[in-house]
Amino acid sequence: MKTICYIVAMVAEAKPFIDRYGIKKVDNFFSPLPCQLYEGEVEGTRLCVVLNGQMHGSDLVGCEAASVSTTAAIQRLDPDLIINSGTCGAFRKHGAEIAEVYIGNKAMFHDRRVPGDDNWQTQSIGNYNVWPGSETLAHSLGMKMGKVTTGSSLDMQPCDLEVIETNGGQLKDMEGAAVAFVCSLFSKPILLVKSVTDLCDSGAETYEEFSRNLSRACETLKAANERIIDYLTKSL
């Protein structure tokens, strides 16, 4: 692979990885868009990290910002592989643990409620495919796989949970399916890498659990991404 591009929502999720590889910020690369580019080289492969950016003093999270960043990254950088790396919620009943890192095996939306016939429902859910090498990578690195479900809110309403359970969702985030949707439009392969910050069925308040575990989850995310980059640059 000549170019690998990460799409990351939060500075906290990206900084350990950026620091590890010493990649440098390219100022105003996407101006006037808020997304930011960090760029370097690893084992002869161009490594790009695109952050959604910030507004009003906070990271731009969610589907809209992720879609903008992914579109801009594909058009400007033309990567061979998009990797959406970030944190997520998961379910204790499925065996998930805090700071455990998963590889996504599919991506869907869980809060796009569009009434109508089956075609509307199919479009709203999404069910986007991932990079065909995802399963081999996960097996080689000894990592679990799970279906990523995406919504625009940190919390989860009962109707969201119903969609997640009906469609076999295991990981709950705010960007994955949006990135996968854009990748599907450009026929770009996507790899989903998610580290668990909160357990959706733990009974704890989501934001408190997320905040308490964010730093730990980002460290395991960094370690997993180091192994992934090593695999991609040396095995393919």
Side-chain angles (χ1 to χ4, degrees), residues 41-193:
E41 186 175 300
V42 178
E43 299 289 340
T45 297
R46 183 188 184 195
L47 178 61
C48 302
V49 176
V50 176
L51 284 162
N52 289 349
Q54 297 184 328
M55 292 184 72
H56 307 297
S58 61
D59 294 313
L60 285 166
V61 299
C63 298
E64 295 84 358
S67 296
V68 169
S69 296
T70 307
T71 300
I74 291 174
Q75 291 181 325
R76 294 290 304 275
L77 303 171
D78 191 25
D80 299 294
L81 177 67
I82 290 283
I83 302 178
N84 175 227
S85 172
T87 54
C88 70
F91 293 85
R92 178 177 286 162
K93 65 183 178 183
H94 295 317
E97 297 180 1
I98 297 296
E100 190 171 23
V101 181
Y102 284 76
I103 300 297
N105 58 23
K106 220 171 182 64
M108 59 167 276
F109 291 100
H110 62 247
D111 66 349
R112 295 175 67 182
R113 293 174 284 278
V114 183
D117 58 24
D118 289 344
N119 290 331
W120 284 106
Q121 179 70 3
T122 298
Q123 181 210 133
S124 64
I125 293 294
N127 275 326
Y128 304 106
N129 292 323
V130 296
W131 174 51
S134 296
E135 185 174 357
T136 301
L137 179 148
H139 179 75
S140 298
L141 300 182
M143 299 171 70
K144 289 183 180 180
M145 299 193 78
K147 187 173 186 178
V148 176
T149 80
T150 299
S152 295
S153 300
L154 184 65
D155 68 357
M156 179 176 63
Q157 299 300 311
C159 52
D160 299 334
L161 179 60
E162 181 180 355
V163 173
I164 291 170
E165 291 185 333
T166 299
N167 290 274
Q170 294 168 274
L171 310 171
K172 175 186 173 293
D173 79 344
M174 295 179 67
E175 289 87 22
V179 178
F181 165 66
V182 175
C183 285
S184 73
L185 299 179
F186 287 95
S187 298
K188 287 289 183 183
I190 178 172
L191 174 66
L192 296 162
V193 186

Side-chain angles (χ1 to χ4, degrees), residues 30-45:
F30 293 112
S31 181
L33 300 177
C35 39
Q36 301 170 352
L37 171 65
Y38 290 78
E39 187 176 29
E41 186 175 300
V42 178
E43 299 289 340
T45 297

